Amino acid sequence: MLKVKTSILLKLIVYAFHLPLYLISLLIPKNKNIWIFGGWFGEQYSDNTKYLFEYINKSHPEIKAIWLSKNKAVINLIRNKGFKAYYCYSIYGYLYSALAKICIVNIGIGDVNNFIPPPIIINLWHGIPLKKIGYDDAISNSKIDKYKDLKKFLFPFIRYREDVKLATACSEEDQSHLSTALKIPKECVKITGYPRNDNILVSTNQKILEYNVSYLPTFRGGINDKIDLFSNFGFDIIKWNNELDKLSIFLNIKMHPVNKPQDRLLEEFKHCKNISFLDEIDVAELLPNTQILITDYSSVFFDYLLMDRPIIFAPFDYERYILKDRELYYDYNEVTPGPKCKNWDEVLEWIERFKNNPALYAEERRKVKDRFHKYQDGKSCERVYKEIDKLMKG
């Protein structure tokens, strides 16, 4: 209890310190050609914001695109690419936040500078919703914030989901879901396709030297929780490594950005030459190098459908998941075009089957792909830019 009270007190002190800075920022004229970008709570350079950021830098030099981050490694990476990046709470971080008219994120204002929000916030989001999200998620949002209006009155720089001016979607169905999840009018959610999928479509036919299978499970528990999705579902490390070696297949495991693998698992998998945990890699760069995708309830499979490659579904804990973690927007079996495995042995069997015949489930994949992707042309960045430009002129 003492720790909670101390944390709240520190937060109030930080907020009170930033209130004058926010009020001063309101007096600074906004520049329509300064756009700030960020992603994943300011910790990662990935996802839709990354690909729109690079598109703007290369195709619209009249716009000064600035990436803000809380991660120094990310800042150095972006600067080495020749782009502008600053620490969120540096002098330049505050300055560009105050000057910018446009702010582009994929989670929320916490992706950039929490305390100096530009007037127009664009949320590109981070996946076609399979699971209920935002205000639609009754499990995670069971408690109503009774002090929301008071918080915004005392600290007017606070921004909530509904404060975005524009969000992006891939189809009419997820347009509707994002509208209710973010509590914004449907006309503020534009069907453009996701910027990251431009990279996936461009890379579909590239030559791949190794046969890679990637396991990308969805988010579980809390932020930075260490998750074990193997021990309880019959995963035999020795058997898997031997079978993968026989098939000349490499298994890449990429946890959700806010989850971590348990230390014990990292140690055990360290000795497997055909199995690896990946951490920093961008999913939009991993998918083009993946011949078979394994997932459970992650919306990553919607993106992967654009490549017309096999998908294995591993909903081992389905009943518990939809009861304790998230409800789904859809009937799971209706929108998941691939085998539904009950344990890791079945997954291994399907890896071999799909390697021998990747056309299995091809028609089912096509139907779901066409349902959830209005655009499949690699021009999503261009459409997003046009929608933002239209918003500024309107």
Side-chain angles (χ1 to χ4, degrees):
M1 181 61 73
L2 181 61
K3 285 185 178 179
V4 173
K5 288 182 178 178
T6 303
S7 175
I8 292 172
L9 180 60
L10 288 172
K11 193 172 185 179
L12 287 172
I13 292 171
V14 171
Y15 276 35
F17 171 79
H18 280 91
L19 184 56
L21 293 178
Y22 169 71
L23 296 174
I24 292 169
S25 76
L26 296 178
L27 303 175
I28 298 175
K30 308 306 175 189
N31 188 326
K32 68 176 184 178
N33 286 329
I34 295 179
W35 296 12
I36 60 172
F37 294 74
W40 287 106
F41 310 104
E43 293 295 335
Q44 295 187 25
Y45 182 56
S46 65
D47 223 303
N48 290 313
T49 42
K50 167 188 171 179
Y51 291 95
L52 184 65
F53 174 72
E54 296 193 357
Y55 166 82
I56 294 298
N57 270 290
K58 294 171 183 174
S59 302
H60 292 278
E62 73 279 7
I63 294 170
K64 194 167 191 175
I66 312 289
W67 190 278
L68 298 185
S69 177
K70 303 176 181 79
N71 186 326
K72 291 183 179 179
V74 165
I75 294 168
N76 290 333
L77 171 68
I78 295 169
R79 288 177 177 174
N80 288 337
K81 285 174 169 275
F83 305 135
K84 296 186 182 300
Y86 300 99
Y87 183 67
C88 290
Y89 303 119
S90 65
I91 292 174
Y92 282 109
Y94 284 105
L95 177 63
Y96 282 117
S97 294
L99 288 169
K101 187 168 186 178
I102 299 290
C103 168
I104 301 174
V105 298
N106 81 318
I107 299 287
I109 196 65
D111 294 353
V112 286
N113 187 317
N114 297 57
F115 306 107
I116 313 291
I120 298 177
I121 300 173
I122 313 293
N123 194 334
L124 303 182
W125 203 241
H126 49 273
I128 296 172
L130 171 65
K131 306 173 292 292
K132 289 189 177 181
I133 56 172
Y135 290 111
D136 293 342
D137 177 12
I139 297 175
S140 300
N141 288 292
S142 55
K143 294 181 180 178
I144 297 172
D145 188 350
K146 295 183 291 187
Y147 304 105
K148 188 173 181 179
D149 292 338
L150 177 61
K151 289 177 185 176
K152 291 200 77 168
F153 175 76
L154 293 174
F155 305 112
F157 49 75
I158 293 176
R159 295 292 181 269
Y160 289 92
R161 297 182 182 104
E162 60 267 34
D163 292 318
V164 305
K165 302 295 184 186
L166 186 150
T168 59
C170 293
S171 70
E172 290 183 5
E173 289 186 69
D174 58 302
Q175 178 190 43
S176 296
H177 293 145
L178 282 168
S179 172
T180 57
L182 301 177
K183 277 191 181 176
I184 59 176
K186 194 173 177 179
E187 57 267 24
C188 292
V189 184
K190 303 298 181 182
I191 302 174
T192 58
Y194 282 149
R196 69 184 182 211
N197 287 341
D198 289 357
N199 181 70
I200 289 173
L201 286 160
V202 166
S203 305
T204 298
N205 296 318
Q206 71 181 22
K207 187 176 181 181
I208 303 173
L209 300 178
E210 297 176 336
Y211 198 98
N212 292 298
V213 174
S214 296
Y215 174 46
L216 281 72
T218 196
F219 166 61
R220 283 173 169 78
I223 294 174
N224 291 325
D225 277 4
K226 294 191 173 183
I227 305 297
D228 179 1
L229 296 173
F230 299 93
S231 301
N232 295 329
F233 304 104
F235 191 90
D236 185 325
I237 292 179
I238 296 174
K239 177 181 177 180
W240 265 76
N241 196 56
N242 290 340
E243 291 299 317
L244 291 172
D245 192 37
K246 288 178 190 175
L247 295 167
S248 298
I249 291 175
F250 294 88
L251 174 65
N252 299 308
I253 303 167
K254 174 80 169 73
M255 303 296 287
H256 188 277
V258 301
N259 285 151
K260 305 292 181 186
Q262 290 185 349
D263 296 336
R264 176 185 59 79
L265 288 173
L266 287 174
E267 188 61 33
E268 289 180 5
F269 282 107
K270 191 187 295 182
H271 306 289
C272 301
K273 71 173 186 176
N274 288 68
I275 305 175
S276 303
F277 270 101
L278 304 179
D279 186 17
E280 299 300 325
I281 190 168
D282 183 346
V283 171
E285 295 176 359
L286 175 62
L287 293 184
N289 291 295
T290 297
Q291 279 82 1
I292 300 173
L293 174 69
I294 306 168
T295 190
D296 44 16
Y297 323 107
S298 171
S299 63
V300 68
F301 80 88
F302 285 120
D303 291 6
Y304 194 68
L305 286 169
L306 291 167
M307 310 193 75
D308 189 26
R309 295 177 188 172
I311 306 169
I312 299 171
F313 293 92
F316 305 147
D317 58 348
Y318 177 79
E319 288 78 11
R320 184 202 173 282
Y321 185 83
I322 61 171
L323 183 66
K324 300 288 186 182
D325 284 270
R326 294 281 189 87
E327 296 174 308
L328 306 183
Y329 283 114
Y330 305 98
D331 178 290
Y332 185 75
N333 291 318
E334 181 187 342
V335 297
T336 48
K340 318 300 184 293
C341 298
K342 297 182 179 65
N343 52 55
W344 284 107
D345 281 346
E346 289 187 14
V347 172
L348 190 57
E349 291 171 10
W350 271 101
I351 289 174
E352 185 170 5
R353 290 180 69 179
F354 273 133
K355 186 178 183 186
N356 293 329
N357 185 3
L360 293 170
Y361 282 93
E363 182 58 22
E364 291 88 339
R365 292 197 298 269
R366 184 193 63 76
K367 287 178 181 177
V368 178
K369 178 187 69 171
D370 291 344
R371 175 178 171 181
F372 286 95
H373 291 283
K374 180 177 180 179
Y375 298 108
Q376 302 171 26
D377 57 3
K379 296 181 180 179
S380 294
C381 285
E382 182 181 333
R383 280 186 290 272
V384 173
Y385 165 76
K386 287 179 179 178
E387 290 294 347
I388 297 173
D389 188 54
K390 201 185 302 180
L391 179 64
M392 284 197 297
K393 292 175 179 175

